[in-house]
Each structure stands twice: as structure tokens, then as C-alpha cells.
Amino acid sequence: MKYGARNMLKARVKSVKSDEVMSLVKFDVEIPAEMASVLTTESVQDLDLKPGDSVHLVIKAIHVLPVRD
Amino acid sequence: MKYGARNMLKARVKSVKSDEVMSLVKFDVEIPAEMASVLTTESVQDLDLKPGDSVHLVIKAIHVLPVRD
Amino acid sequence: MKYGARNMLKARVKSVKSDEVMSLVKFDVEIPAEMASVLTTESVQDLDLKPGDSVHLVIKAIHVLPVRD
Amino acid sequence: MKYGARNMLKARVKSVKSDEVMSLVKFDVEIPAEMASVLTTESVQDLDLKPGDSVHLVIKAIHVLPVRD
Amino acid sequence: MKYGARNMLKARVKSVKSDEVMSLVKFDVEIPAEMASVLTTESVQDLDLKPGDSVHLVIKAIHVLPVRD
Amino acid sequence: MKYGARNMLKARVKSVKSDEVMSLVKFDVEIPAEMASVLTTESVQDLDLKPGDSVHLVIKAIHVLPVRD
């Protein structure tokens, strides 16, 4: 199974909260991981990103796609 | 500083690859983290997600937003 | 009317389910269509995508924008 | 294999065009399909969506995730 | 013409920069506007958003869809 | 504080409407702003975008990330 996405994290479900239409699911991610971001080269220059730099990676929950093997 | 997003991971830049318009940046995420996903309640039911279940979380790199403190 | 998006499908509404804030709408798409995906060149190489290959295209419902003429 | 996404289309690769960082892949989708959209209930009311109505579904190519079985 | 999206801004093209696959287009938005955000109720509570509060709205350029009338 | 995103608008909260899982927040954006869009070069050519052209920028509310300083 292969995905056209750079980020795939192993995770365990912790909780599920549901409205009729939408749900919020929380997961524990236990294993160190590589993450990738695609952004404009202008943004890379504004942030002046260089190997070794510390950042935070912000991801809206709506963009996280759970997949079951 | 507070973000209207459920996911925020501490990360360290590993590499930067750039075209003129778009760049791909790789990060190491070293610390265990909680992640959250918002999806339709129908999808939660189809996947039959329950606490303790193992899944993969797939995230397109374009949805990862690096932020510098 | 022209959109800065590669994918536009003709569809017919099948059902609407609503919470107060969010709704899920189902559509029938009857006509064969061309679809396009933008992804990292790394992902294309990992998937080894070549003309003629069969794949599935996964799209979160949140990314589908209905438009009325 | 199960995805936390409402939309999954069978498709065949037609062409691949690549920069160093990003690629555009075109697909043929041959089979009629059900599609789903999540949007605000306000938008559903503004569009006045009812079963039987004709619409276009616009999807930016960046939100289409190819998956190989 | 009606869109299933809460945000629609009138804008004027300022510049276009292109790679072969992807382009970055800059616009001037001159007119005051209402914007809307959908986020988890948890995030609203964490940010403690109340009428009158000042915030910044961050939007990745990839999520901005230009449309021509 | 720096974000890996091209668009950052100053805004004031106008209203909040919440389900248990998801909320819709409305904002006033008072100050003229520059906005940026990333799209395929094919879409730029289809739209024939040139400096001075008028367009609408459509953004689904789910892609708007409120941030508090």
C-alpha cells in the first residue's frame, strides 16, 4: 500500500467525540518520525529555514486522514 | 501564542529542497505527541475507530505549516 | 466562469445531512472525467506513477467545493 | 484497507509532468461515482442545495491523494 | 454564481511567478471584508475567542482559489 | 513570530457559533491586504491571469487558521 503523501504516522486511537456530521478523534503518536512540509520558496526564505533550526509544525485536524491497514 | 489548530509538533529542520516557486522541507519530530483528526462521523463509523485501535495518519506535506517562535 | 482549479465535475445532489454548523452533502457524478493531482515529485517516484497505471484517488469531503451556475 | 475519507475514485494515470519539487499527474476516471462534500450549513442554505439539483464540484488538484493498492 | 464557501474576496492581480508545474500569484485586496473560519470547538475554547477580540488569520496560499467572472 | 504561509490578515471576531465538535467564527477584516495564491501553472494559463486583472478569491472557511498573539 503506497500513498502519494510525504507524511504517515503510526498512531493509536485515544478518544472519539461525535456530532451527527463531524467527529474529532484523538490519537497517540509514540514513535519519532520524519515530517515534510511543502510551502512557497518565499516562505522558506522569510522563515530562513536551515538544517538544525527548531520550529513548530502546525496542522489543522481536518487535514489528518486516518487509514486502517 | 495560540493557534486555532489541534496539532502542533516540535521539530527540527533536516533538509530544504527548492524550485523557484515551491520548496519541500524535511523535519525530525523527536517527541511523542498527541494528534487529532476531524473527519465525518460516517468515516469514523466505516473505519470503526475505537480507543486502542492502531491506524496510520496520512498528511499531505502541503498541509504542514512551519512556524518559528 | 473560470476557476483556478484543475478539477471540475458535473454532479447532482443526492442527500443533505446537517448539524447546526456543518453539513454533509452527497452527489452523483455520472460523467467520466479527467482528474488531476498535485503532489511532490518524491511521492510520484515512491508510487512509481506511469501512464496506464491504476490507482485510487482519495479526497476528503471537506476539500470538495460545490458551485452553482 | 479503509480510509477516513468519503471520496475514493478508481482512476488510470494519463500523464505526469514534474518540476524538481512538485508534479502534476492527470488521471482518467471512467466509472460513475458518488462524491461527498462537507461544507458549512450556512453555505448549504446559501446554495439552497436540494436532492436533484445540478452543481459543479470544484477540487484543487493539491487535495487529490493518489493511492496504490 | 454561488460557491459553497464562506469567503470570497474581490482582488486584483499584482504579479505572477511560475515554475513549469506550480505558480505563485499575488493580489491586492482593497475592500474591507468579512472572513469566516471553521475550526474545532476545542480550538475556539483554547483561543477563548469572543466578539471584539483581535486575531490574525493565517491562510496557506495553496488554499486560495482565484475565480474569474 | 513567523509563519510558513503567505497570507496573514488582521481581524476582529464578530460572532461564534458552535456545535459540540465544530465551530464557525466570523471576523471583520478592515485593512487592505495583499493575498497570495498557489495554483498550477496550467490554471494560471487557463485563467489567463495578468497584472491588473480582477478576480474573486474563494477560500473555504476550514482553511482559515485564527492565531492569537
Side-chain angles (χ1 to χ4, degrees):
Chain A
M1 202 69 200
K2 286 203 157 172
Y3 304 86
R6 290 295 76 202
N7 299 303
M8 192 166 80
L9 303 168
K10 280 201 176 189
R12 197 171 286 276
V13 178
K14 236 170 64 173
S15 67
V16 179
K17 185 164 76 174
S18 298
D19 281 327
E20 192 168 350
V21 172
M22 299 301 283
S23 292
L24 173 63
V25 185
K26 301 270 182 77
F27 302 89
D28 283 317
V29 178
E30 287 149 34
I31 298 155
E34 183 185 277
M35 295 281 286
S37 168
V38 166
L39 64 174
T40 59
T41 300
E42 274 192 22
S43 285
V44 171
Q45 290 162 352
D46 275 12
L47 289 174
D48 188 23
L49 294 177
K50 302 173 305 296
D53 289 357
S54 286
V55 298
H56 282 95
L57 304 178
V58 174
I59 306 160
K60 285 199 83 182
I62 199 77
H63 291 133
V64 174
L65 174 72
V67 179
R68 240 191 213 288
D69 296 314
Chain B
M1 202 71 200
K2 286 204 158 171
Y3 303 86
R6 291 293 76 202
N7 299 301
M8 192 165 81
L9 303 168
K10 280 201 175 188
R12 196 171 287 275
V13 179
K14 234 170 66 173
S15 67
V16 179
K17 185 163 78 173
S18 298
D19 281 327
E20 194 168 347
V21 172
M22 299 302 282
S23 291
L24 172 62
V25 184
K26 301 270 183 75
F27 302 88
D28 282 318
V29 178
E30 285 149 34
I31 298 157
E34 183 185 276
M35 295 282 286
S37 168
V38 166
L39 64 175
T40 59
T41 300
E42 274 192 24
S43 285
V44 171
Q45 289 162 352
D46 275 13
L47 288 174
D48 188 23
L49 293 178
K50 303 173 304 295
D53 289 357
S54 285
V55 299
H56 282 95
L57 304 177
V58 174
I59 306 160
K60 286 200 82 181
I62 200 78
H63 292 133
V64 175
L65 174 72
V67 179
R68 240 191 215 288
D69 297 314
Chain C
M1 202 68 201
K2 286 204 157 172
Y3 305 86
R6 290 293 78 201
N7 298 303
M8 193 164 80
L9 304 167
K10 279 200 176 190
R12 196 171 287 276
V13 178
K14 236 171 63 174
S15 67
V16 179
K17 185 164 76 174
S18 297
D19 281 327
E20 193 168 348
V21 173
M22 299 302 283
S23 292
L24 173 63
V25 184
K26 301 271 183 75
F27 303 89
D28 282 318
V29 179
E30 286 148 34
I31 298 155
E34 182 186 277
M35 294 282 286
S37 168
V38 166
L39 64 174
T40 59
T41 301
E42 274 192 23
S43 285
V44 171
Q45 290 163 352
D46 275 12
L47 289 174
D48 189 23
L49 294 177
K50 302 173 305 294
D53 289 356
S54 286
V55 298
H56 282 96
L57 303 178
V58 175
I59 305 161
K60 286 199 82 180
I62 199 78
H63 292 133
V64 174
L65 174 73
V67 179
R68 239 192 215 288
D69 296 313
Chain D
M1 202 70 201
K2 288 205 157 172
Y3 305 86
R6 291 292 78 200
N7 299 302
M8 192 164 80
L9 304 167
K10 279 200 177 192
R12 197 171 286 277
V13 179
K14 234 170 66 173
S15 66
V16 179
K17 184 164 77 172
S18 298
D19 280 327
E20 193 168 347
V21 172
M22 299 302 281
S23 291
L24 173 62
V25 184
K26 301 272 183 73
F27 302 88
D28 282 319
V29 179
E30 287 149 34
I31 299 156
E34 183 186 276
M35 294 282 286
S37 168
V38 167
L39 63 175
T40 59
T41 300
E42 275 192 23
S43 285
V44 171
Q45 290 162 351
D46 274 13
L47 289 174
D48 188 24
L49 294 177
K50 303 173 304 296
D53 288 357
S54 286
V55 298
H56 282 95
L57 304 178
V58 174
I59 306 161
K60 288 199 80 181
I62 200 77
H63 291 134
V64 175
L65 174 73
V67 178
R68 239 191 215 290
D69 297 313
Chain E
M1 202 70 201
K2 287 205 159 171
Y3 304 87
R6 293 291 80 200
N7 299 301
M8 192 164 80
L9 304 168
K10 279 201 177 190
R12 197 170 287 276
V13 178
K14 234 170 66 173
S15 68
V16 179
K17 185 164 77 173
S18 297
D19 280 328
E20 193 168 347
V21 172
M22 298 302 281
S23 291
L24 172 63
V25 184
K26 300 272 182 73
F27 303 88
D28 282 318
V29 179
E30 286 149 34
I31 298 156
E34 183 186 277
M35 295 281 287
S37 168
V38 167
L39 64 174
T40 59
T41 300
E42 275 192 22
S43 285
V44 171
Q45 290 163 351
D46 275 12
L47 288 173
D48 188 23
L49 293 177
K50 303 173 304 295
D53 289 356
S54 286
V55 298
H56 282 94
L57 303 177
V58 174
I59 306 160
K60 286 199 82 182
I62 199 79
H63 292 133
V64 175
L65 173 73
V67 179
R68 239 193 216 290
D69 295 314
Chain F
M1 202 70 198
K2 288 203 155 174
Y3 304 86
R6 291 292 77 200
N7 299 303
M8 192 163 81
L9 304 168
K10 279 200 178 192
R12 197 171 288 277
V13 178
K14 234 170 66 174
S15 67
V16 179
K17 185 164 77 173
S18 298
D19 281 327
E20 193 167 348
V21 171
M22 299 302 282
S23 292
L24 172 63
V25 185
K26 300 271 183 74
F27 302 88
D28 282 318
V29 179
E30 287 149 34
I31 298 156
E34 183 185 277
M35 294 281 287
S37 168
V38 166
L39 63 175
T40 60
T41 300
E42 274 192 24
S43 285
V44 171
Q45 290 163 351
D46 275 13
L47 289 174
D48 188 23
L49 294 178
K50 302 173 305 295
D53 289 357
S54 285
V55 299
H56 282 96
L57 303 178
V58 175
I59 306 162
K60 286 198 81 180
I62 199 80
H63 291 133
V64 175
L65 174 73
V67 179
R68 239 191 216 290
D69 296 314

